Amino acid sequence: MANIVVRVCMLLSVFVPTLRAQFDVQPPATSADTVCKSTDTICSVTLVIEHKLTMVLEKDKDLIFPQYGKLKSSKRNQYLSDDEERLVITADGASSRLVITINGQFPGPRIETYVDQTLNVKIVNKLHTDSVTVHFHGVHQKGTPWMDGVAFITQCPILPGQTFTHVFKAYPPGTSMYHAHIGDQRSMGLYGAFIVYPRKDPEVIGLNQIVMLLQDWNHLMDPETAYHRMITEQFEMSSGRVISTTYSIDRAQFSRYEFQSGLINGKGRFYSTATAHNGNPLARFYIKSGVTYRFRLIGAMTLYPMRVFIEGQTFIVRGSDAFDIERREFQSIIIHPGERYDFLWTSPNTTNRRQYMFVAETIETRESHGKYHAAEAILEMVDYTMSATNLNPSQASDINCYELNCTVLNCPYQFEAPTDRATCITFNDIKNNDPIREKEKILGNRVDNEYFFNFGFPGRNGTTPGSVNAREFIFPSVPILTQPNDVTTGCNEAQCSRDGMCQCTYIHKIPSNKLIQMVFTNLGIGAGWSHPIHLHGHSFYVMKMGLGLYNSSNGRLVVPTTDIVCTDKFEFCSTMRWSDASWDNGNVPGMNDDPPQKDTIIVPTGGYVVVRFISDNPGMWFLHCHIDLHNTNGMMMVIDEGDKKPATPKGFPTCRNFEFSGLVSDISSAKRCYAFAIQSLVITVWHGLFNVL
């Protein structure tokens, strides 16, 4: 009997750690992920970037297709085993298409580190033709601005076959991500979760964390195609029909990047109609009844905001963009590209249900596309034993706000669904709850410097490029931060003012160690799209969101805000001021007295957002719309902070324009030399003939 007990204990000692690992962070870490120890002085990471194909089992060179929530081999005509399924990159299973993988994973592997730990991240570019850079989104890079990872702003692109090593401190603690920062490569999978743990917080570091990366997916477009479709048209080739753009309830538009599927951690299913899908496997997460889970939600979308909810449930939101906010109960969150949210959900303390659907549906109105535009995942109750998990579940039932408290966080408008009793909460209504906030430094009715930046698509004669203050951003051929003397594409302000719009490398100077107030606006000719604006190098305090006037019966925007007046003659809002001059320099009424901190904030069409921060991080910091296509189209600028930047490390890579003028000079010299030789020969012959005669 004693031997049996010993053997049982030995078995449990093996099984229990495995079970705990399963419920530590989901998905469980693989060999591709990096999980640093709190005792590590330096956390070393290698990210190998290469192309792979979806729906192919590489080891067997076998084409795979979806069926009933499983994957099936075309060669063997049988379902794959669980181990084989894990080897297949599926996306939405609609086709076998090219994607970008990192360490063989799509999306990229997870990095878990600790606050102030030194990260040593080697980027290896194994793409055959494309350059890459990687930005650690939400990381402040204080003292290391050259490690921010933006091509031609802080570093040279990493060419095919090359490597680049980032060395920086992990700060602030919280949920962040890393992603491509050249072109639109995020749309093909070049992104991953980046989690920074505080040193002491058992709730954060303990068990029961679930990491979800959201993506909107088009299985036909590579990044270059997506960009060119946005500036021309999207067509259905079989019929020649133009695919119309869609809109949200306020009638804010979405650009020409057709949503075909939603992905959670790289998995989703393709809906050909509002109800019919292809049965591709969904991401699954394992839940125990009566247990609290911390969800780390990461918005890696290319374009579309998503409304996130758990079927028939509510949850407690506890943080956004790596900073804690007051804990409040919500039925759903709207997450925009670049944002991150942490929320707590306690699963029902019952075992009478096998699973719940986790849904992230776009905020496009269903009438504008006629399909079902959502990412889905399965929350599987592991202690329910009456039936097996349904791997091919039906859609989650529609929200009934008459039965459930439908409070929605982070609306880019005033009303979510007026007839359905849903209530919108913006960041005007959210308080800060972060232990490291310093609100005393930013509160008050005076600031040192105030700036207005308008994000939009202004223009004439059908040309409407993305811009900030009507300046369409043009990248230089060298990094602004490390090779400033070689930049030749700066703005001619006289020409910009004269013509109304211009193309240039738009850089705005701000002083060091000042209380800075920025007003992000979405006004004038060129408004009509809402924009998630992201600032590198800082987190800012959201002081106030100003909205326009909306129709309370249908939710549509009626007129833009009247708080701000556009003062340029073209009505592009390239220059502006407060309507009431008493609001100048920080004296804006209605500001939050304990404002939350974020690094990405939605600026609603027809509205504005007031943010503040202390300019204590000298560098060249990118400020841009986090919709990839808007960013590539020119909706970006650079904040030149401080006169004394940290010295660029010795040996830091440099780059240049490869135009070579020396060859022209050499040819000209050769021609002159040749002409002189011919001339000399003629003279010699002439003299010879003259002597003979």
Side-chain angles (χ1 to χ4, degrees):
M1 183 67 179
N3 289 336
I4 294 175
V5 172
V6 169
R7 289 185 180 183
V8 169
C9 290
M10 290 177 65
L11 286 172
L12 285 174
S13 69
V14 175
F15 175 73
V16 171
T18 304
L19 188 63
R20 286 179 63 85
Q22 182 184 18
F23 289 98
D24 184 11
V25 180
Q26 294 185 61
T30 70
S31 59
D33 300 314
T34 299
V35 180
C36 306
K37 298 177 182 177
S38 61
T39 54
D40 292 339
T41 303
I42 297 176
C43 179
S44 296
V45 183
T46 299
L47 302 178
V48 179
I49 300 171
E50 57 189 336
H51 282 126
K52 287 188 180 294
L53 293 171
T54 63
M55 302 309 286
V56 171
L57 184 60
E58 283 190 352
K59 68 182 184 68
D60 294 339
K61 297 181 175 61
D62 191 0
L63 178 65
I64 306 302
F65 59 92
Q67 190 177 76
Y68 306 127
K70 295 282 290 179
L71 296 179
K72 202 169 187 179
S73 161
S74 59
K75 284 184 177 179
R76 293 174 279 159
N77 193 29
Q78 65 184 39
Y79 291 113
L80 271 57
S81 68
D82 290 344
D83 288 339
E84 287 176 321
E85 275 204 6
R86 281 189 280 270
L87 299 175
V88 179
I89 298 169
T90 63
D92 69 353
S95 62
S96 179
R97 68 153 291 180
L98 197 69
V99 295
I100 297 176
T101 64
I102 309 173
N103 295 357
Q105 290 193 179
F106 169 87
R110 186 170 67 239
I111 301 173
E112 297 178 46
T113 181
Y114 286 82
V115 69
D116 290 332
Q117 200 165 44
T118 298
L119 270 294
N120 190 320
V121 186
K122 179 185 288 188
I123 310 296
V124 181
N125 182 5
K126 286 195 173 183
L127 304 181
H128 293 158
T129 57
D130 294 341
S131 300
V132 300
T133 61
V134 174
H135 166 60
F136 291 84
H137 182 106
V139 176
H140 290 177
Q141 298 291 358
K142 195 164 187 177
T144 53
W146 50 80
M147 293 298 177
D148 198 41
V150 187
F152 298 119
I153 305 299
T154 60
Q155 70 171 84
C156 305
I158 308 166
L159 301 180
Q162 293 184 342
T163 63
F164 177 86
T165 300
H166 293 262
V167 181
F168 61 91
K169 295 279 189 181
Y171 186 87
T175 303
S176 295
M177 64 173 161
Y178 62 89
H179 61 76
H181 225 305
I182 185 170
D184 302 319
Q185 292 172 331
R186 192 172 85 242
S187 69
M188 284 187 72
L190 209 167
Y191 64 90
F194 185 77
I195 298 171
V196 182
Y197 293 124
R199 294 289 177 173
K200 294 180 180 180
D201 190 341
E203 182 189 74
V204 175
I205 303 173
L207 303 177
N208 308 321
Q209 298 184 69
I210 292 177
V211 180
M212 289 186 174
L213 297 108
L214 305 182
Q215 184 176 4
D216 44 6
W217 185 247
N218 183 297
H219 51 240
L220 299 177
M221 294 184 185
D222 59 68
E224 291 299 322
T225 301
Y227 173 72
H228 285 281
R229 290 291 184 212
M230 190 196 79
I231 61 177
T232 53
E233 283 286 2
Q234 294 178 102
F235 299 98
E236 186 180 78
M237 293 304 295
S238 59
S239 65
R241 179 182 67 90
V242 172
I243 300 172
S244 300
T245 56
T246 57
Y247 47 82
S248 52
I249 192 170
D250 60 335
R251 288 306 189 265
Q253 302 174 71
F254 296 105
S255 300
R256 298 183 188 95
Y257 175 81
E258 185 185 8
F259 183 103
Q260 293 182 319
S261 305
L263 307 183
I264 294 178
N265 293 356
K267 296 179 183 294
R269 49 191 186 184
F270 172 58
Y271 280 84
S272 55
T273 69
T275 56
H277 59 75
N278 63 349
N280 198 55
L282 299 175
R284 294 159 60 191
F285 301 92
Y286 303 102
I287 305 297
K288 295 183 71 176
S289 61
V291 174
T292 299
Y293 292 85
R294 179 191 181 115
F295 286 74
R296 295 182 181 269
L297 196 64
I298 298 171
M301 300 84 74
T302 296
L303 173 63
Y304 292 96
M306 292 179 169
R307 178 175 173 175
V308 173
F309 64 93
I310 298 173
E311 187 178 16
Q313 302 288 302
T314 59
F315 45 72
I316 304 296
V317 177
R318 60 155 291 162
S320 178
D321 295 359
F323 287 89
D324 290 352
I325 58 178
E326 62 172 331
R327 301 191 184 193
R328 290 177 58 177
E329 182 182 30
F330 291 94
Q331 181 272 332
S332 56
I333 306 169
I334 294 177
I335 180 170
H336 299 268
E339 290 188 305
R340 293 90 63 212
Y341 283 90
D342 288 33
F343 67 84
L344 304 175
W345 176 61
T346 301
S347 60
N349 193 15
T350 177
T351 57
N352 63 359
R353 182 167 178 169
R354 182 61 184 176
Q355 61 200 61
Y356 292 85
M357 291 296 289
F358 182 98
V359 181
E361 185 174 3
T362 69
I363 65 169
E364 304 163 279
T365 62
R366 292 189 184 182
E367 68 179 10
S368 69
H369 55 72
K371 295 183 180 180
Y372 182 59
H373 285 182
E376 303 165 295
I378 298 171
L379 304 180
E380 181 178 333
M381 306 297 290
V382 296
D383 43 6
Y384 180 81
T385 58
M386 299 300 291
S387 64
T389 301
N390 181 0
L391 300 179
N392 195 37
S394 302
Q395 293 178 16
S397 56
D398 282 342
I399 301 163
N400 187 340
C401 295
Y402 289 90
E403 297 179 0
L404 195 67
N405 174 23
C406 285
T407 308
V408 185
L409 175 62
N410 197 33
C411 298
Y413 32 65
Q414 188 173 1
F415 303 106
E416 173 56 29
T419 59
D420 292 338
R421 298 181 62 179
T423 302
C424 271
I425 299 295
T426 70
F427 271 83
N428 278 332
D429 309 303
I430 296 298
K431 302 295 185 181
N432 203 324
N433 191 37
D434 199 88
I436 59 175
R437 70 188 186 276
E438 298 177 305
K439 68 176 184 177
E440 67 281 355
K441 291 184 177 181
I442 53 90
L443 291 179
N445 60 1
R446 296 292 297 175
V447 295
D448 294 316
N449 299 82
E450 180 179 51
Y451 308 98
F452 290 84
F453 298 117
N454 191 53
F455 297 82
F457 292 102
R460 296 185 296 271
N461 302 320
T463 302
T464 54
S467 66
V468 183
N469 289 354
R471 288 151 177 81
E472 179 187 358
F473 192 86
I474 300 297
F475 278 101
S477 58
V478 297
I480 297 172
L481 175 67
T482 58
Q483 297 175 241
N485 296 331
D486 297 330
V487 176
T488 60
T489 51
C491 296
N492 181 327
E493 291 300 329
Q495 181 259 324
C496 292
S497 298
R498 182 183 67 248
D499 297 343
M501 285 200 68
C502 53
Q503 294 180 326
C504 57
T505 303
Y506 184 29
I507 304 173
H508 199 98
K509 181 75 176 175
I510 68 172
S512 289
N513 299 312
K514 299 294 183 181
L515 176 56
I516 303 296
Q517 178 166 294
M518 291 184 177
V519 185
F520 302 149
T521 65
N522 191 342
L523 300 169
I525 296 174
W529 298 258
S530 294
H531 303 292
I533 302 305
H534 174 53
L535 174 62
H536 292 216
H538 289 276
S539 295
F540 45 71
Y541 290 83
V542 181
M543 307 301 298
K544 181 179 181 179
M545 295 186 70
L547 301 175
L549 177 65
Y550 296 83
N551 185 314
S552 61
S553 62
N554 60 27
R556 297 181 185 179
L557 177 66
V558 179
V559 292
T561 180
T562 57
D563 292 346
I564 293 173
V565 176
C566 300
T567 55
D568 66 306
K569 64 182 179 180
F570 300 96
E571 298 182 30
F572 294 162
C573 231
S574 57
T575 58
M576 65 208 91
R577 60 172 173 79
W578 293 112
S579 299
D580 186 339
S582 68
W583 292 23
D584 289 350
N585 302 315
N587 192 32
V588 179
M591 290 193 294
N592 199 325
D593 60 1
D594 196 358
Q597 291 165 270
K598 285 176 65 64
D599 55 56
T600 307
I601 189 68
I602 188 67
V603 183
T605 183
Y608 63 90
V609 180
V610 180
V611 305
R612 290 181 179 180
F613 62 92
I614 303 296
S615 55
D616 57 359
N617 191 11
M620 292 286 188
W621 303 118
F622 218 30
L623 176 64
H624 63 99
C625 176
H626 213 269
I627 293 172
D628 259 4
L629 300 174
H630 295 184
N631 180 60
T632 307
N633 196 226
M635 197 176 292
M636 46 190 164
M637 63 177 294
V638 174
I639 300 298
D640 179 359
E641 181 176 343
D643 293 321
K644 287 189 175 182
K645 312 288 194 299
T648 304
K650 187 176 181 180
F652 192 82
T654 59
C655 47
R656 61 185 174 86
N657 193 321
F658 286 94
E659 183 180 0
F660 181 52
S661 59
L663 184 62
V664 175
S665 301
D666 290 346
I667 291 174
S668 299
S669 299
K671 285 182 177 178
R672 288 195 299 270
C673 182
Y674 179 73
F676 179 76
I678 294 297
Q679 184 181 25
S680 299
L681 179 62
V682 169
I683 292 173
T684 301
V685 171
W686 172 254
H687 279 291
L689 290 174
F690 182 80
N691 290 331
V692 170
L693 293 174

